[in-house]
Amino acid sequence: MELGPWESCIDRLATTPGEAISLLQDAVAVLEARAALLAAAGKRGWPISPAMPALVILIDEYAELAEKAPDAMNDTDSIARLGRAVAVTLIAATQRPTQKAMGAGAVRSQMDLRICFRVREPRDVELILGQGMPKAEWDAHNLNAPGKFLVSAPGLDRPNRARAYLLTDEVVAYTAAHFSGIRPVLDEESRRAIDSARWARSQSPDSGPATSNSSETADERETTDSALWQALCAAPAEGWATSELMRITGWKRTKLYRHLREYAEAGRAIQVSRGRWRARATEEPSP
């Protein structure tokens, strides 16, 4: 419900425990592959760039994940402990980050950056920011307006109040549409690691049949995919605008971008410029 409106600029959205477990397993595979690559090159940090982007995992209502998908906790622990050097970052949001809510692992202790909005009591401040913080003037229980918060992070030793903007549905829709076309895809090494992890899971005797969060039937997907692919193949050198592709396929923007990303990751389509796409010619290098 909260992350769905951002789907056009999110590479992957998990809404069930099974999908969350799979996503986190893939994130750990990326972490391990990046660490091996850095070790082989004699480096200690991932050089973040458009070609080698950071991987950010955002978990809304983390306590729900800990309760409904406890098998995922080992993976979140690994990301929290080892992800910093390889630019794999975990952002966890929850109402009451108790040790029980955050699982029995190391995630809570590894959170160097904590954001605390207004809470009811000093003990809630201690749950979020740590023991003794209310007495040190970290008084989030006294914040006097919606959106005000405190940030605890390395180098921020004194409490400073700040205030977040209210993001309306209209602002979310505009922002997601603005950035959906310029978010970089994962680097080749990370994509290869995800493919290998998925293949390994498919060979496991415990793996069940593949599932999809799409309500499309196979025939419906083939028909609409065909329309999109034909449009991309017929596009001029400067590509079709996404508005034109939406008209051709009858899809909404979020669904269109999901399919375009699949084509791009498979090397079949190219984003020529912001919001304009076409099929990749055979002689062109794969992105």
Side-chain angles (χ1 to χ4, degrees):
M1 182 177 66
E2 296 295 338
L3 298 180
W6 297 95
E7 187 174 6
S8 62
C9 56
I10 295 176
D11 185 65
R12 190 168 161 191
L13 180 61
T15 59
T16 68
E19 291 172 350
I21 290 172
S22 175
L23 185 152
L24 290 165
Q25 287 175 337
D26 288 346
V28 171
V30 169
L31 184 157
E32 293 172 345
R34 288 184 173 188
L37 185 66
L38 291 178
K43 297 180 180 180
R44 299 181 61 188
W46 187 257
I48 299 175
S49 68
M52 302 180 74
L55 173 60
V56 180
I57 300 100
L58 174 61
I59 303 176
D60 191 27
E61 295 298 349
Y62 188 92
E64 289 292 308
L65 178 69
E67 178 182 346
K68 296 182 178 179
D71 291 344
M73 294 300 98
N74 287 337
D75 291 329
T76 58
D77 282 355
S78 294
I79 295 168
R81 286 196 303 264
L82 306 173
R84 186 174 293 109
V86 292
V88 178
T89 301
L90 181 67
I91 300 176
T94 188
Q95 297 294 321
R96 285 178 58 82
T98 62
Q99 188 66 54
K100 180 180 179 181
M102 301 303 291
V107 169
R108 190 168 186 268
S109 63
Q110 293 292 326
M111 288 182 170
D112 289 338
L113 195 159
R114 302 183 184 189
I115 298 174
C116 181
F117 286 86
R118 183 172 57 176
V119 295
R120 292 185 179 275
E121 302 176 4
R123 63 180 180 180
D124 293 327
V125 179
E126 292 189 328
L127 280 174
I128 299 169
L129 300 179
Q131 291 290 328
M133 295 299 273
K135 294 181 179 179
E137 300 183 354
W138 293 80
D139 57 346
H141 55 292
N142 290 328
L143 294 175
N144 57 7
K148 284 193 173 182
F149 63 91
L150 298 175
V151 179
S152 172
L156 297 178
D157 300 325
R158 300 177 63 183
N160 290 309
R161 296 186 179 190
R163 195 171 188 185
Y165 290 99
L166 173 65
L167 296 183
T168 64
D169 291 344
E170 292 75 13
V171 171
V172 170
Y174 172 83
T175 306
H178 177 76
F179 287 101
S180 59
I182 60 176
R183 180 190 53 78
V185 297
L186 279 177
D187 56 284
E188 183 178 352
E189 187 69 22
S190 297
R191 295 200 303 269
R192 186 183 301 117
I194 291 174
D195 290 340
S196 297
R198 290 177 179 174
W199 182 86
R201 290 199 297 271
S202 71
Q203 303 305 304
S204 170
D206 297 330
S207 63
T211 60
S212 172
N213 62 355
S214 171
S215 59
E216 295 175 289
T217 66
D219 289 342
E220 288 171 337
R221 175 164 182 133
E222 183 177 357
T223 299
T224 50
D225 264 359
S226 177
L228 175 59
W229 179 240
Q230 290 176 16
L232 292 172
C233 290
E238 64 273 19
W240 288 127
T242 51
S243 57
E244 180 65 14
L245 293 173
M246 289 168 64
R247 185 191 64 80
I248 293 171
T249 60
W251 291 345
K252 293 183 179 179
R253 188 179 299 273
T254 55
K255 183 177 179 180
L256 174 66
Y257 271 115
R258 184 168 67 248
H259 285 257
L260 287 172
R261 285 199 302 270
E262 291 175 359
Y263 280 147
E265 291 171 359
R268 299 177 65 190
I270 288 178
Q271 184 178 9
V272 182
S273 60
R274 181 176 164 186
R276 303 191 72 89
W277 295 77
R278 63 171 171 80
R280 181 178 70 87
T282 305
E283 67 276 7
E284 289 181 302
S286 177

